[in-house]
Amino acid sequence: MINMTDMTKKTLQGVLASALFCGALTSCGTTGKTTADNALGGEWLITQVNGHAIDAESNDNEAYLGFNLQENKMYGCAGCNRIFGGMETDAEKKTLKMGNVGCTQMMCRNMDNERAVLQALEKTATFSISKGNKLTLKSNDGKTVMTLKRRNK
């Protein structure tokens, strides 16, 4: 029979409790979001707005959008200023609506891109993802307002 000291017993109990807690956290990984909805999550580089190319040279900062599906929030950069706000999405209907979008208020060398990104976000009504790496945002009338590609960090 093994004779364990009180300290050894407490350490073993702590290790077992930690293992059980970590196992419980990782085993509850479903959020109810569908695969298509989950595909929207993460960060996307803005490549076009209303058919006009958006590139790194024409902006002070990299233009991108990020979607946090668990918190129903969007974030990113419109090419100069940080943007943030709420969002509603329905994977089955492929709808995406931004709400209460805000941004920082710095002046940059190309405010035209900035305005175009913000206006496109206001008009966004639906989304589609092709081949897992191209995101298209469209207005209610079906017009493409923004094209994005998966951001590699």
Side-chain angles (χ1 to χ4, degrees):
M1 186 165 154
I2 299 174
N3 184 9
M4 290 193 273
T5 65
D6 285 339
M7 184 63 133
T8 305
K9 287 179 187 176
K10 287 180 182 177
T11 303
L12 185 57
Q13 288 172 344
V15 169
L16 289 173
S18 294
L20 289 172
F21 180 72
C22 290
L25 285 178
T26 58
S27 67
C28 299
T30 60
T31 62
K33 302 280 186 186
T34 64
T35 303
D37 202 17
N38 285 334
L40 179 63
E43 296 182 352
W44 301 83
L45 289 174
I46 301 171
T47 57
Q48 289 186 348
V49 177
N50 296 317
H52 295 80
I54 303 292
D55 57 22
E57 290 82 38
S58 65
N59 292 314
D60 288 0
N61 298 303
E62 187 174 57
Y64 75 95
L65 290 179
F67 301 100
N68 181 328
L69 302 175
Q70 288 71 34
E71 296 181 17
N72 292 321
K73 293 182 180 179
M74 60 79 64
Y75 60 92
C77 179
C80 173
N81 287 290
R82 296 273 176 214
I83 53 178
F84 46 86
M87 64 173 211
E88 294 177 22
T89 182
D90 183 324
E92 291 179 20
K93 296 179 182 177
K94 301 284 190 202
T95 59
L96 175 63
K97 182 177 179 182
M98 312 296 171
N100 298 323
V101 175
C103 65
T104 56
Q105 298 289 314
M106 297 182 297
M107 287 297 296
C108 296
R109 60 188 164 117
N110 188 348
M111 295 306 288
D112 292 337
N113 284 347
E114 184 95 358
R115 280 188 285 281
V117 168
L118 294 171
Q119 289 170 353
L121 289 176
E122 277 183 34
K123 294 178 183 176
T124 298
T126 63
F127 73 94
S128 63
I129 299 172
S130 61
K131 297 182 183 174
N133 63 2
K134 181 182 176 187
L135 173 62
T136 304
L137 305 181
K138 295 185 177 189
S139 60
N140 275 326
D141 61 4
K143 181 181 175 189
T144 298
V145 294
M146 195 178 299
T147 306
L148 305 93
K149 68 178 183 177
R150 181 72 66 187
R151 185 179 191 197
N152 298 323
K153 287 184 157 184

